[in-house]
Amino acid sequence: MGGVTSSMAAKFAFFPPNPPSYKLVKDEATGISVLDPFPHRENVDVLRIPTRRGNEIVAVYVRNPMATSTLLYSHGNAADIGQMYELFIELSIHLRVNLMGYDYSGYGQSSGKPSEHNTYADIEAAYKCLEESYGAKQENIILYGQSVGSGPTVDLASRLPRLRAVVLHSPILSGLRVMYPVKRTYWFDIYKNIDKISMVKSPVLIIHGTNDDVVNCSHGKQLWELCQEKYEPLWVKGGNHCDLELYPEYIRHVKKFISTVEKTPSRRNGSRRSTDGIEQLRQSADHYEPPRGSMDQRDKPRRSTDTREKPRKSTDTREKPRKSTDRPPRLKFHEYTKFNSIDKLEKLKVSLDRMERMERSRRSVEYHDKSSRSNDQQLEKGRKSVDWLDRIRAD
């Protein structure tokens, strides 16, 4: 049942646009790759990057001559870099950063299939490319994760102590918690940000819309409470899941955050430096994938720090999303409604209820076993007492 439930969770998490929004075209004369239908830009590189899991992902790298930081952007679950391309250009300009965005395995023109562990390998490959091909240093890299992209972002950030900063945009506590208000972490859950965020040593900015109807704002608020190095969060009044970039406070707050972390000397620079770089990332326990039907002992259901309350309806007056005047309207991400599929949620609920019943039955059996052993011990003591009295009488 574990493999089935884990596969079900993965199906909820990944909706790659079909067909992809772009084609990868290589100019025969120059050998330069471009994203069709976008024209070639001198400050944009289009790359194919191999991953340690045998896939090849497509990425774009946007240069800004004024940049001192590099932002590594992990997009949401229903987009590809063709749909994000214009936003990447704008962010690079307004935030004065170099920016790399990439498609997960199975997204856009990247090979393979989307899965939690493939996305971990994907972000590692992109990070390694920044270090080896563009000379970026850990201290100058900012990880940015949107929605499902917060999963690979938090996972990598928890293992890189000297990052400049982390931005989590409409993040999730975990994949299962988006669909079902569980109070503990199950071994088959995906993207367990709630259990990893406390290991992130970099400054963390969290952005969430108060009217988010896909990932409740309580996810962002609880993650912020668990951060080691908190930065003033941005709760966008009236903001939904896919329109936060349209609010003026979004770009102002992100720009202020980046300016702050660039001016503040990192206290993490004195940390012991890694001698073998990205190879250490492969040793993360989260990269172990147990066989189907088996349970990794460390991931058995356990008590979690999750104290999530039932979402409360926001009292904020919702503002209508403002349309951008300098770029086409953002993707509406209608695929996110798949998260609300009643049939799938009911199946998941049945699976969870069954696990709870099994757990209660196991505890009940253990209790009766203990009671039985206790009764046997008392009977044995009673028998010995009678034997002792019989011997006294005989004497």
Side-chain angles (χ1 to χ4, degrees), residues 62-333:
V62 185
R63 294 184 187 83
N64 186 317
M66 305 294 292
T68 59
S69 298
T70 299
L71 192 146
L72 178 55
Y73 196 113
S74 300
H75 60 66
N77 74 339
D80 61 28
I81 58 174
Q83 294 166 340
M84 303 295 293
Y85 184 80
E86 294 295 339
L87 176 63
F88 289 164
I89 300 297
E90 290 184 15
L91 289 177
S92 176
I93 294 171
H94 292 296
L95 301 179
R96 293 188 178 182
V97 295
N98 300 315
L99 186 149
M100 175 174 280
Y102 65 98
D103 267 338
Y104 310 123
S105 297
Y107 276 69
Q109 299 300 330
S110 296
S111 66
K113 294 181 179 181
S115 74
E116 177 189 15
H117 292 279
N118 273 345
T119 61
Y120 294 156
D122 298 338
I123 193 172
E124 285 178 16
Y127 175 85
K128 183 177 179 181
C129 178
L130 287 177
E131 283 193 325
E132 296 182 353
S133 299
Y134 295 99
K137 296 180 179 179
Q138 185 178 148
E139 296 86 352
N140 297 327
I141 293 177
I142 299 171
L143 300 187
Y144 189 117
Q146 179 182 12
S147 189
V148 165
S150 64
T153 295
V154 171
D155 182 79
L156 183 60
S158 69
R159 294 177 281 122
L160 294 176
R162 293 180 287 109
L163 286 171
R164 172 157 281 177
V166 176
V167 180
L168 300 179
H169 175 149
S170 305
I172 63 175
L173 286 166
S174 73
L176 190 58
R177 287 173 173 85
V178 174
M179 302 177 288
Y180 193 85
V182 294
K183 298 297 183 182
R184 67 174 70 182
T185 296
Y186 289 90
W187 64 272
F188 57 80
D189 199 356
I190 62 174
Y191 297 132
K192 304 166 190 174
N193 292 341
I194 187 173
D195 298 325
K196 298 177 183 178
I197 189 66
S198 61
M199 294 183 282
V200 177
K201 301 184 184 302
S202 313
V204 178
L205 165 63
I206 294 182
I207 306 168
H208 218 120
T210 59
N211 284 5
D212 193 323
D213 57 7
V214 176
V215 179
N216 190 271
C217 190
S218 60
H219 284 243
K221 290 182 177 180
Q222 191 168 336
L223 286 173
W224 184 79
E225 291 291 343
L226 295 171
C227 289
Q228 275 194 38
E229 195 166 340
K230 300 177 178 68
Y231 184 82
E232 179 187 359
L234 176 61
W235 313 127
V236 181
K237 292 184 179 180
N240 207 312
H241 194 67
C242 304
D243 61 2
L244 302 188
E245 300 93 336
L246 302 180
Y247 290 78
E249 57 264 40
Y250 163 81
I251 196 69
R252 285 200 303 264
H253 204 82
V254 178
K255 189 172 184 178
K256 178 183 175 183
F257 174 65
I258 292 177
S259 177
T260 299
V261 296
E262 286 180 340
K263 292 176 181 177
T264 305
S266 174
R267 292 174 295 179
R268 300 175 301 280
N269 289 346
S271 303
R272 180 176 60 85
R273 294 179 176 268
S274 170
T275 57
D276 52 356
I278 199 69
E279 291 300 322
Q280 283 195 347
L281 300 177
R282 301 186 184 182
Q283 299 173 9
S284 169
D286 287 301
H287 291 160
Y288 170 74
E289 296 183 71
R292 286 183 178 272
S294 67
M295 183 186 293
D296 186 354
Q297 292 297 316
R298 67 179 175 83
D299 278 336
K300 286 184 178 179
R302 59 187 182 274
R303 294 290 179 184
S304 170
T305 54
D306 190 359
T307 56
R308 180 182 174 189
E309 301 176 356
K310 291 184 179 179
R312 294 185 293 273
K313 292 185 179 180
S314 172
T315 56
D316 299 318
T317 303
R318 183 174 183 176
E319 302 176 9
K320 293 183 178 179
R322 291 181 277 278
K323 294 184 178 180
S324 174
T325 57
D326 54 353
R327 65 181 174 90
R330 276 298 301 284
L331 176 69
K332 294 302 179 184
F333 290 65

